[in-house]
Amino acid sequence: MNKQKPVTGGLNPASGRHYMFASRMAKTPRSFIREILKVTANPEIISFAGGLPNPALIDVDGIRKAAAAVLEQEGRNVLQYSTTEGYLPLRQYIADRYKKRLGLSVSPDEILITNGSQQCLDLIGKIFIDAGDHVSIERPGYLGAIQAFSLYEPVFHPVVLHEDGPDPGVLGQVVDTWPVRLFYGVPNSQNPSGITYTVKRRREIASVLKKTDTLFIEDDAYGELNFGGESLPSMREFLPDQTIITGSFSKILAPGMRLGWVVAPAGIMESIIVAKQASDLHSNYLSQRIAYEYLTRQDIDEHIRKIRTAYKNQCDCMIQAMAETFPESVTYTRPQGGMFIWISLPVGCSSMDVFENALEKNVAVLPGSPFYIDGSGTNTLRLNFSNSTDEKIITGIGRLAKVIKSLCVSSPGRSISNRT
Ligand SMILES: Cc1ncc(COP(=O)(O)O)c(C=O)c1O
């Protein structure tokens, strides 16, 4: 046994063999969400815990036709190895869409296609973070980013997220105190909170970062899912050579296609290409070709409008059910888009207890603590509305309200503590 290394490893229970892992594995949290999803596989359970897009809004027929067309027309070609950067017409399509939606000039050379936008976070971690480097992230922050960056062993600095975006004063203090490599944020319909930064706040954050070498990692997984259809400016508009955008087809086409992209200025893109080559050579070429065929055959704007309308209705239904049944001491966000609502229970009320008790009533919710790198947020919950019918939302929220009342309100109408 190597005595120099901390004992991090796996055990084969059958043979008793112990496998030594790199120490970085000890610093990377397991995805609590994936663990919970195992529990919620039971069809009796009404689950607000996951983060799945509404399966009824995946255009299976359209994707089937696109797949048949590319396989018929170019079967051998689309099943070959391809370029690391990704299919050029697809990158051009993405660039054109930035121009159309946001008036943003992006060259296809600044775009690389990835295996979902989650892979962008791994590639960014790989090329920017050495062990002990400083990384700043919203508080609460997206668990997938905490997990992806943790593998590279940074020191995290949380920046509290308010209803209008991250606190610029706190961010200012962090970047004044530490040489922060990256600030990671989700300006549109954030996961987990559902919060969208105001334009004013985007400008303020940009002006804090402009004076530094810190890069803004703008995760835009939900930018197309703003219920009202309006598109807010990208951070790249304010920090052109300091912003890396990550984008995703998961919420507008299908997550199983595993297609996302990264937009990075020249000077960074070269290193992303090297990291991508070392990881997997290139993203699934067949998927890229099917996506391109689909996007150019179908009215994608109409498809996205349908998704927005459905999610707005599901969100409204959940908010109304909560307004009717939750005690007044419970507060929650009112998202402008995306797939999640963020709940704050009265201080001192444990969301883990609520989770366990709700599960006994066949309702799954997601305790918020894993979204806090400092272990706080023990009175918070994330609820997903995109993957439930109105009927399930009303029934599930009704049951959850009873659990919250029994655990968090000491006597009818009186909360155990102040609001958060
Ligand atoms: C904020 C955010 N970023 C990235 C991802 C990863 O998405 P994908 O890899 O499917 O593009 C998700 C998935 O839910 C997310 O919520």
Side-chain angles (χ1 to χ4, degrees):
M1 194 170 96
N2 181 351
K3 294 205 172 75
Q4 307 295 321
K5 291 186 90 179
V7 184
T8 310
L11 180 73
N12 179 334
S15 68
R17 179 170 288 279
H18 187 255
Y19 304 100
M20 294 296 290
F21 294 161
S23 56
R24 74 177 73 94
M25 290 310 295
K27 297 180 182 158
T28 307
R30 267 179 96 108
S31 170
F32 187 61
I33 302 178
R34 304 256 155 250
E35 301 299 308
I36 286 191
L37 288 184
K38 286 185 208 154
V39 183
T40 61
N42 175 352
E44 305 260 292
I45 291 181
I46 297 177
S47 179
F48 305 134
L52 301 185
N54 188 332
L57 295 166
I58 296 176
D59 180 5
V60 180
D61 194 45
I63 294 174
R64 184 179 57 74
K65 286 186 184 131
V70 291
L71 284 168
E72 263 163 38
Q73 286 156 23
E74 286 190 75
R76 278 179 212 295
N77 180 17
V78 298
L79 293 166
Q80 251 311 355
Y81 282 116
S82 186
T83 55
T84 303
E85 292 86 336
Y87 184 48
L88 181 57
L90 182 60
R91 291 189 285 134
Q92 182 69 58
Y93 180 94
I94 294 166
D96 292 346
R97 197 159 176 85
Y98 276 121
K99 190 78 193 164
K100 185 173 132 195
R101 281 182 56 229
L102 300 168
L104 203 62
S105 295
V106 174
S107 147
D109 294 340
E110 296 175 292
I111 299 174
L112 176 140
I113 307 291
T114 55
N115 275 310
S117 60
Q118 186 67 27
Q119 190 189 29
C120 307
L121 304 177
D122 180 55
L123 297 176
I124 289 166
K126 220 170 234 149
I127 69 170
F128 287 110
I129 308 174
D130 283 320
D133 279 348
H134 299 273
V135 166
S136 188
I137 182 166
E138 298 154 329
R139 176 183 181 276
Y142 170 52
L143 193 53
I146 296 173
Q147 203 181 30
F149 296 153
S150 290
L151 273 175
Y152 301 98
E153 306 179 82
V155 177
F156 282 113
H157 299 281
V159 174
V160 61
L161 189 61
H162 301 299
E163 272 179 20
D164 49 359
D167 190 307
V170 175
L171 180 63
Q173 273 170 8
V174 168
V175 295
D176 281 350
T177 314
W178 309 101
V180 175
R181 292 243 154 166
L182 315 169
F183 174 79
Y184 167 85
V186 186
N188 294 312
S189 309
Q190 196 238 17
N191 179 359
S193 69
I195 283 170
T196 293
Y197 305 3
T198 59
V199 178
K200 178 169 172 278
R201 185 47 55 91
R202 289 171 202 238
R203 286 184 198 281
E204 287 164 353
I205 295 293
S207 82
V208 170
L209 294 186
K210 211 165 198 116
K211 301 169 229 146
T212 71
D213 290 330
T214 307
L215 298 178
F216 192 106
I217 311 301
E218 177 177 22
D219 183 333
D220 198 25
Y222 302 99
E224 296 259 19
L225 298 191
N226 203 330
F227 300 150
E230 66 277 17
S231 300
L232 294 173
S234 160
M235 293 301 292
R236 181 173 150 121
E237 196 174 312
F238 310 122
L239 293 169
D241 63 355
Q242 249 173 292
T243 301
I244 298 181
I245 309 176
T246 68
S248 177
F249 285 117
S250 293
K251 324 293 176 189
I252 55 172
L253 280 188
M257 293 179 82
R258 302 311 300 131
L259 285 180
W261 66 90
V262 54
V263 182
I268 294 177
M269 185 47 90
E270 292 78 3
S271 294
I272 294 183
I273 292 169
V274 172
K276 172 80 179 160
Q277 278 165 353
S279 286
D280 61 1
L281 306 182
H282 63 76
S283 295
N284 183 326
Y285 187 49
L286 177 60
S287 231
Q288 295 182 57
R289 295 296 301 264
I290 294 170
Y292 179 73
E293 185 72 21
Y294 180 88
L295 293 163
T296 47
R297 265 170 183 260
Q298 306 286 334
D299 183 348
I300 186 69
D301 290 317
E302 177 53 28
H303 181 61
I304 293 171
R305 259 194 299 278
K306 263 192 220 155
I307 299 176
R308 283 181 190 139
T309 308
Y311 287 7
K312 179 180 185 311
N313 291 341
Q314 287 168 290
C315 181
D316 286 350
C317 176
M318 191 172 268
I319 299 251
Q320 193 181 332
M322 294 193 305
E324 285 167 8
T325 58
F326 278 9
E328 271 192 16
S329 52
V330 176
T331 58
Y332 39 86
T333 55
R334 284 170 174 73
Q336 294 171 33
M339 311 195 320
F340 305 106
I341 297 174
W342 186 244
I343 313 282
S344 297
L345 303 170
V347 174
C349 182
S350 157
S351 53
M352 206 61 204
D353 290 349
V354 169
F355 162 70
E356 280 163 11
N357 281 264
L359 208 53
E360 280 170 20
K361 310 248 169 330
N362 281 348
V363 177
V365 295
L366 195 65
S369 192
F371 297 95
Y372 289 78
I373 47 189
D374 53 10
S376 60
T378 53
N379 65 324
T380 58
L381 291 170
R382 189 192 76 177
L383 300 188
N384 165 255
F385 51 79
S386 59
N387 194 29
S388 299
T389 59
D390 284 7
E391 199 189 340
K392 282 190 173 167
I393 289 174
I394 292 164
T395 310
I397 292 295
R399 289 184 202 164
L400 181 61
K402 284 192 189 134
V403 170
I404 292 176
K405 279 179 195 153
S406 72
L407 292 175
C408 306
V409 181
S410 52
S411 62
R414 197 164 67 83
S415 76
I416 58 168
S417 187
N418 294 331
R419 288 184 188 202
T420 48

